[in-house]
Amino acid sequence: MTPRDASGDNRWSNLDRPPLNATALRRGLVREGGLWSEVDVVQNTGSTNTDLVARAAEGKAAEGAVLVAEEQSAGRGRLDRRWTAPPRSGLFFSVLLRPAEVPVDRWGWLPLLTGVAVATGLSRAAGVDTSLKWPNDLLVTVGGEERKAGGILAERAGDGGVVIGVGVNVTLREDELPVPQAGSLALADAISTDRDPLLRAVLRSLEDWYGRWRAAGGDPGACGLQETYAAGCATLGRTVRAMLPGDRSIVGEAVAVDGDGRLVIATEEGVQEPVGAGDIVHLRPA
């Protein structure tokens, strides 16, 4: 019997984009004493974040649940931006975390932690230089130009959980990019675009960083997260414009990421203003 995806197309019709092997992923990631409790792969869904938040609300997902989609029809980024890509062209997944021993006021570090984990895992497995645009966009270099290849979205799941969604463009070609500023691992000359080992590398990196952060009670300084994030953050040292809630904006140099994960901007007026939420525009190279 010929395997077919949710749209009815032959799953093997695009040999450059083979399907993920759910059985192999479970075998490689789910282990006694490890973080990942289950790994599910679906052919198509609206949003893995929406689905996993719903599962958590119904009590049908434990900490460490991983939901992966070969294609998302209603994927979301920050500020409710749409995230779309061809089937099997990227990594689109969500994880459920329940950091009960970490004070809730430190949970804001989770998307930044995930950014560090994704960048670290992909640098190792794909051989691509990556950096992070605050707070959690993954950047790669394509033809000497910085482009966004991925993003992260965190959502609360009940009182004790957080669902973190990750989207990474892996094999998108130039003519498939949703916007000219987008990129992919393939366009950044990755040494590997095999999504199975890439996903394993990212999830193992996330397990490692989450374990360190949790063991430190969520203290980003004590576990090395704050320093590592700053070292890989392409926003620091640049002149930026921060588009803030309420139609306010500020321009200045991004000088630090503080202990709460906020971007500190030094304005021309000599004020250092921490920004916890907003859209950041890079105005000049570092």
Side-chain angles (χ1 to χ4, degrees), residues 13-97:
S13 59
N14 189 338
L15 297 180
D16 290 333
R17 292 172 175 164
L20 291 165
N21 186 328
T23 302
L25 288 170
R26 290 188 196 102
R27 191 182 305 123
L29 292 165
V30 179
R31 56 185 173 78
E32 190 70 32
L35 172 62
W36 307 120
S37 55
E38 59 179 306
V39 179
D40 290 328
V41 178
V42 297
Q43 292 304 310
N44 185 292
T45 190
S47 161
T48 56
N49 256 37
T50 299
D51 293 351
L52 197 51
V53 167
R55 285 191 197 180
E58 295 166 3
K60 296 179 179 178
E63 179 174 48
V66 182
L67 178 61
V68 189
E70 295 284 33
E71 181 183 18
Q72 288 190 117
S73 58
R76 289 172 292 123
R78 290 180 59 251
L79 308 178
D80 283 331
R81 293 188 177 118
R82 291 290 301 273
W83 180 284
T84 59
R88 303 187 298 278
S89 66
L91 296 176
F92 318 115
F93 67 94
S94 297
V95 302
L96 173 62
L97 303 176

Side-chain angles (χ1 to χ4, degrees), residues 140 142 147-150 169-170 172 177 179-185 187-188:
V140 296
V142 178
R147 296 204 200 170
K148 177 179 174 178
N169 295 332
V170 177
L172 260 73
L177 297 175
V179 292
Q181 298 79 21
S184 69
L185 300 185
L187 291 173

